[in-house]
Amino acid sequence: LLALDHTPSPAAALPAGFSDTVVAAVTTPTAIEQLPNGAVVVLEQDTGRVRLIDPASRVQSSAPALDLAVCQGSERGLLGFTHDPGFSGTGWVYLYYTAATATGCVNRVSRFTMNGDSIDPASEIVLLDRNSARGTNHNGGDLDIGSDGFLYVAVGDAGRDPRGDSGSGGSNDAAQDLSLLNGKILRNTTDGYPAPGNPITGPATARCETRGNTSLTHTTTCQEIYAVGLRNPYRFAFDRNDGSDRFYTTDVGQSTLEEVDAGARGANYGWPSREGNCPQGQTAPCAGPPLGLTDPITVYGRSTGRSITGGAFVPNGLWPSRYDDSYLFGDFLSGAIWSMDENGSVDYASPFATGAGGLTDMTFGFDAAGRSVLYYTTFGGVR
């Protein structure tokens, strides 16, 4: 395991045969990804800088690859990154960030062109814009491209209802409002159009990519929506082992349960009426999901952790065989990383690793020796 940490510190506790090495100190790192040329990209949430790390020297570039103006504070800022499958030819990369506009802070997804160690700010093409960041938190912020070639984006419920018309009990119901992009997984082409095969189509629907999410937003349903009912889907990860579009999403809970959800076309994970696999505010034993709602694969409560964040599928054949078909995920506050087997079983009493407090993201890549490694980011001086 190789860590990029705001405050380098002693290694995490790991199983026998594994080691933990600090790669670099980075300010408030969020997303991390390795490019085809080997460079490791890490985002700085508060500064809006895209940093490049050389895995051989473990030295970050003297100048950022890109320096974006972002809205700061709480969970806003520079949040998500991925590169295009044709990156070696196009240089295209995609960023999710909280942008400052004349009417306030909004979440935006843009495509940029990268040349060498630099991302050209003038190359920006905005794909999704004016997405509510009203509550400063619950921005989501992850994005990736599936094997189907489409761009998936995880958007939080904005913390406060963008329309200001929350449902019964005052709960923010944006995640169930099909005319808003908040609280959803979106699926677009890499040019910003709703992807073919999305569940919402037809004459009573609309493209919502830049129309904004406010009390004045039209109520036609949005063609970009792939799945709904999420509170703060902070990270998701595709399983690259079998060429499928299987992905798992980590959705941060409110007061009772953290959850991992299996991505599925048209799925409704139940927020805000449900948190985890129970009605909001309850824990097991509880009533099963009503017809039409999808339960998570696994959940854990407040005695185990309080903020689920990064997750990644282990590449088959590159780690010991007992990790084949497994999925790792971690908690920001407890600093634990757990392993889920292919059947969805997790031993919460025996984490894969501990001591990774402040964990925000993880991804598999290769080090300078060609070994398969798990890169992960932590911040806030927690570990």
Side-chain angles (χ1 to χ4, degrees):
L1 279 74
L2 298 174
L4 288 108
D5 197 342
H6 175 55
T7 305
S9 58
L14 299 165
F18 287 86
S19 62
D20 183 66
T21 304
V22 172
V23 175
V26 179
T27 302
T28 57
T30 49
I32 184 170
E33 184 165 325
Q34 190 166 33
L35 296 175
N37 63 14
V40 176
V41 175
V42 61
L43 306 185
E44 294 183 351
Q45 178 180 353
D46 292 338
T47 68
R49 293 171 183 153
V50 180
R51 293 290 188 184
L52 298 182
I53 312 294
D54 181 343
S57 64
R58 298 178 186 168
V59 173
Q60 55 185 299
S61 55
S62 57
L66 180 66
D67 194 342
L68 276 176
V70 298
C71 282
Q72 298 179 345
S74 189
E75 297 170 9
R76 298 178 298 194
L78 186 53
L79 303 173
F81 176 93
T82 196
H83 67 277
D84 195 83
F87 172 82
S88 297
T90 65
W92 288 351
V93 296
Y94 304 83
L95 288 167
Y96 186 126
Y97 67 102
T98 314
T101 71
T103 56
C105 297
V106 297
N107 287 315
R108 176 179 295 167
V109 173
S110 293
R111 189 180 76 203
F112 294 82
T113 300
M114 186 172 186
N115 297 297
D117 291 343
S118 178
I119 298 171
D120 181 4
S123 70
E124 181 175 17
I125 297 175
V126 176
L127 306 181
L128 293 167
D129 202 12
R130 302 173 64 198
N131 198 30
S132 181
R134 183 182 183 194
T136 75
N137 58 350
H138 302 187
N139 295 299
D142 206 9
L143 68 173
D144 204 352
I145 295 178
S147 62
D148 57 8
F150 297 126
L151 179 66
Y152 292 70
V153 184
V155 184
D157 71 2
R160 296 172 58 199
D161 193 323
R163 291 193 182 277
D165 63 350
S166 295
S168 61
S171 294
N172 176 4
D173 62 357
Q176 297 296 327
D177 186 339
L178 299 184
S179 67
L180 299 178
L181 300 182
N182 296 90
K184 317 288 195 304
I185 299 292
L186 313 179
R187 180 173 171 266
N188 284 3
T189 69
T190 55
D191 292 322
Y193 292 89
N198 282 357
I200 297 176
T201 59
T205 67
R207 289 178 60 191
C208 304
E209 77 279 14
T210 60
R211 75 180 187 181
N213 295 0
T214 71
S215 60
L216 302 178
T217 298
H218 295 295
T219 56
T220 47
T221 55
C222 298
Q223 298 170 0
E224 293 84 359
I225 294 172
Y226 186 77
V228 307
L230 295 161
R231 179 177 181 267
N232 187 22
Y234 187 68
R235 293 286 175 249
F236 66 92
F238 281 98
D239 182 357
R240 306 295 187 183
N241 287 308
D242 59 5
S244 72
D245 287 316
R246 182 169 76 134
F247 67 94
Y248 289 171
T249 303
T250 57
D251 192 21
V252 183
Q254 178 167 279
S255 57
T256 52
L257 296 170
E258 308 296 308
E259 65 187 84
V260 177
D261 297 298
R265 177 185 181 275
N268 185 341
Y269 304 106
W271 177 258
S273 64
R274 295 180 68 82
E275 181 177 343
N277 56 354
C278 289
Q280 188 185 152
Q282 298 183 24
T283 56
C286 61
L291 185 66
L293 296 185
T294 300
D295 259 354
I297 307 168
T298 188
V299 300
Y300 61 88
R302 287 299 183 270
S303 62
T304 302
R306 301 179 66 86
S307 182
I308 192 169
T309 48
F313 285 90
V314 180
N316 288 347
L318 295 180
W319 273 14
S321 60
R322 65 183 181 276
Y323 295 105
D324 284 352
D325 298 311
S326 65
Y327 167 80
L328 301 178
F329 61 99
D331 188 272
F332 181 88
L333 290 174
S334 74
I337 299 174
W338 295 278
S339 176
M340 178 193 300
D341 67 23
E342 60 182 322
N343 298 317
S345 177
V346 181
D347 184 355
Y348 283 103
S350 301
F352 167 78
T354 58
L359 186 146
T360 54
D361 196 14
M362 61 176 76
T363 187
F364 276 88
F366 294 90
D367 66 6
R371 298 173 300 180
S372 177
V373 294
L374 176 69
Y375 289 100
Y376 69 99
T377 51
T378 69
F379 81 100
V382 177
R383 68 174 287 274

